[in-house]
Amino acid sequence: MESTQPTATDRALVAAGQRLTVKVPGTSANLGPGYDSLGLALSIYDTLTVETLSTGELEFELSGEGADTLPRDASHLVVRAIDLALDRLGFQRSGLRITADNVNPHGRGLGSSASAVVAAVTAANALVPAESQQNRDWILQLTSEMEGHPDNVAPAIFGGLALSWQDSEQYSSTHADVAPTVIPVVAVPDYELSTETARGLLPASVGHHAAAMNSGRAALLIHALTAQPEFLLPGTEDYLHQSYRAQAMRPSADLIAALRTAGHAAVVSGAGPTVMVLANGEGEAAAVVDFIEAFTSSNTPDVGWRVMTLAVDVQGARVEVHRR
Ligand SMILES: Nc1ncnc2c1ncn2[C@@H]1O[C@H](COP(=O)(O)OP(=O)(O)O)[C@@H](O)[C@H]1O
Ligand SMILES: N[C@@H](CCOP(=O)(O)O)C(=O)O
């Protein structure tokens, strides 16, 4: 039987001499009870510039996070994502010059891998002729497939608070406006935990009671985030993942417990080990920063923490095409 799939030689080459930049926010997924479904775009940005070359070479200029450790060949996550996106679009590349300035720390639960694939797929889509370009739902589909869950890629693409779901292999997302008083404060520890390792700590199933408790809190969380932030503390209670992962991030788990006892809506950001507090107003955000500094200097002296008061990014990934 003859194949109808385009072969590599059928695919058009992406035109050389194009240059574009994608700025993409970091993200915090789960937000407590929203495991694999809720995510928030944060004002911490990676910047990816892609230039198409006429020769087949790959050139890298990497700065910031990962500059000393990331590969400088076709195994780089950005190149793999560009190649997959071009393949799906019916194109192939020649050479590329990749310039990446990464601010989002890796392996800390702020969605760095999701931001990288969103930036790459967004760039690939913008490199093909306008009539072949796809919309952001297509980018959501492909990047969710790559990540295995949509909760980081959706806010990285669309900005704001993303509510995502899956039907079989189909990923969908919508977004809601976060109440303007909500301020994310993150405490990023100097140790890493890969998402893959953290997912491996979860049980294959949970009981009905835990599932029922979790769905109540997830529903409350949406109301707290969008309309009544005074319910953020009960709304961020989770029954599906944080307790199972605590053993792999004990300093973060201890900090979260102390913050919650003090009345602050603290959660594990993504799969951890970053701690995020959803503060209600500037007064609480400042108090949270002071609390974290005091608690960590007394209780986790061997761990370095970077504390950042951020904003919710409402734009998501944006592309700037550099005209020649
Ligand atoms: N900007 C990037 N460019 C290339 N690879 C990246 C980038 N960001 C993350 N990665 C890869 O993804 C890994 C981190 O992914 P993961 O464990 O899911 O943690 P995170 O919570 O930061 O997404 C890094 O160790 C690196 O291999
Ligand atoms: N729902 C995922 C989120 C992973 O986020 P990351 O920022 O740690 O990659 C999970 O909890 O595994």
Side-chain angles (χ1 to χ4, degrees), residues 27 46 62 65-66 69-71 75-80 100-102 104-117 147 149 152 192-197 269-273:
T27 55
D46 286 349
L62 307 181
E65 297 288 332
T69 51
L70 292 175
S75 69
H76 189 288
L77 182 58
V78 163
V79 179
R80 284 192 279 129
D101 183 24
N102 298 328
N104 192 345
H106 294 178
R108 301 307 210 296
L110 290 168
S112 70
S113 58
S115 294
V117 298
E147 280 279 288
H149 45 94
N152 292 107
E192 292 186 30
L193 176 61
S194 82
T195 305
E196 193 182 355
T197 302
S269 181

Side-chain angles (χ1 to χ4, degrees), residues 25-28 40-45 103-105 110 180-188 269 274-279 281-282 285 289 306-313:
T27 55
S28 181
L40 197 59
L42 300 173
S43 60
I44 177 169
Y45 300 97
V103 174
N104 192 345
L110 290 168
T181 57
V182 175
I183 300 174
V185 179
V186 294
V188 185
S269 181
T274 289
V275 173
M276 182 170 73
V277 179
L278 294 165
E282 289 177 7
V289 171
R306 185 152 60 111
V307 183
M308 292 181 278
T309 301
L310 301 174
V312 177
D313 171 274

Side-chain angles (χ1 to χ4, degrees), residues 117-136:
V117 298
V118 164
V121 172
T122 302
N125 190 45
L127 287 173
V128 303
E131 61 274 16
S132 297
Q133 289 176 8
Q134 300 290 325
N135 63 19
R136 292 194 292 179

